[in-house]
Amino acid sequence: MTGDARLLERWGYVFQDSERLTQALTHRSYGARNNERLEFLGDAVVNLVMADALYGRFPDLTEGELTRLRARLVRTETLASVAREIGLGGFLRLGGGELKSGGFDRDSILADALEAVVGAVYQDGGFEVARAILLDLFAQRLSGIEAHAHVKDAKTALQEFLQARGSERPRYELVGVTGQDHEQHFEVVCLVSGQSPAHGRGATRRHAEQEAARLALKWLGGP
């Protein structure tokens, strides 16, 4: 068993083409044949598997609520945490600069590499193999996730974030409505003191306000 193959020893998976795994573990700083394309593929697989798992686990949640739960599972910080749990950083091939700067433990590099490994498994062994590995990797997180603990809407989250810092409440202004009566699109700006306006768009004014609040919260470094 090669050094790279030990990464998947837990699941007993052996690559038919070991070069796929090697490529998945190769950061762009190391060479032209790197893991960026496999990362693209793995990202889609991770999102589908997590969406399917949540869809089955929470039959009563809305599309928006499921989307927010999935976002917590597939965000960079969560993926990096999973990568650390399996010691992925120790298998990465990085360029000299990334090695010196501690790239093997950087969230973005670890998250991208995990997605690339998933993409490589999908290519090599098919969807069901990749799905089984992902469900095992995320088993604890999926079983521990609460339907309503993480679906706080962005407007509420933004208001609480600002209140905790003694800042004024955000204001929302409708700046445009386009489309026919049966298919309108709304544009809203969220105004936060000291920040540039955050624009949100949606099929309803409420959706547009939520999107604007989400963007404002992101700019402010909120949850």
Side-chain angles (χ1 to χ4, degrees), residues 17-37:
D17 181 357
S18 61
E19 278 301 307
R20 287 188 173 122
L21 179 57
T22 299
Q23 185 178 351
L25 297 170
T26 303
H27 187 255
R28 65 176 177 271
S29 63
Y30 190 90
R33 184 171 171 77
N34 56 60
N35 62 10
E36 288 185 331
R37 282 173 55 84

Side-chain angles (χ1 to χ4, degrees), residues 4 18 32 46 59 76 87 112 123 126 141 155 160 162 165-166 173 189 195 202 219:
D4 286 353
S18 61
V46 171
T76 297
D112 291 348
Q123 262 202 334
R141 289 171 174 83
K155 289 180 66 177
E160 291 180 355
L162 292 172
R165 286 153 181 76
E173 293 183 1
V189 291
Q195 297 292 322
W219 287 351

Side-chain angles (χ1 to χ4, degrees), residues 61 64-66 68-69 72 146-154:
L61 292 188
E65 291 169 335
L66 289 170
R68 286 191 285 274
L69 286 178
R72 293 185 65 87
E146 295 292 336
H148 301 292
H150 305 303
V151 295
K152 182 184 292 181
D153 66 85

Side-chain angles (χ1 to χ4, degrees), residues 116-189:
V117 169
V118 171
V121 171
Y122 167 75
Q123 262 202 334
D124 194 76
F127 177 74
E128 287 304 323
V129 175
R131 177 177 178 272
I133 290 175
L134 278 169
L135 289 178
D136 186 56
L137 282 171
F138 283 82
Q140 187 174 357
R141 289 171 174 83
L142 283 167
S143 64
I145 201 167
E146 295 292 336
H148 301 292
H150 305 303
V151 295
K152 182 184 292 181
D153 66 85
K155 289 180 66 177
T156 300
L158 175 61
Q159 183 169 319
E160 291 180 355
F161 181 82
L162 292 172
Q163 285 178 337
R165 286 153 181 76
S167 302
E168 296 178 5
R169 295 176 62 175
R171 293 187 296 109
Y172 299 89
E173 293 183 1
L174 180 66
V175 296
V177 181
T178 58
Q180 303 299 318
D181 288 344
H182 66 285
E183 193 176 352
Q184 291 184 321
H185 298 279
F186 295 79
E187 181 176 358
V188 168
V189 291

Side-chain angles (χ1 to χ4, degrees), residues 60-110:
D60 298 323
L61 292 188
T62 66
E63 178 269 343
E65 291 169 335
L66 289 170
T67 296
R68 286 191 285 274
L69 286 178
R70 182 183 61 179
R72 293 185 65 87
L73 291 170
V74 303
R75 63 184 180 179
T76 297
E77 294 85 356
T78 304
L79 294 174
S81 179
V82 172
R84 289 189 182 95
E85 290 170 7
I86 61 174
L88 181 58
F91 293 90
L92 297 180
R93 300 202 301 172
L94 303 170
E98 289 293 353
L99 276 174
K100 291 178 181 177
S101 63
F104 59 86
D105 194 44
R106 187 172 303 133
D107 279 4
S108 59
I109 290 179
L110 286 172

Side-chain angles (χ1 to χ4, degrees), residues 183-206:
E183 193 176 352
Q184 291 184 321
H185 298 279
F186 295 79
E187 181 176 358
V188 168
V189 291
C190 175
L191 303 171
V192 176
S193 179
Q195 297 292 322
S196 299
H199 289 254
R201 297 173 178 82
T204 67
R205 178 168 179 168
R206 178 179 178 276

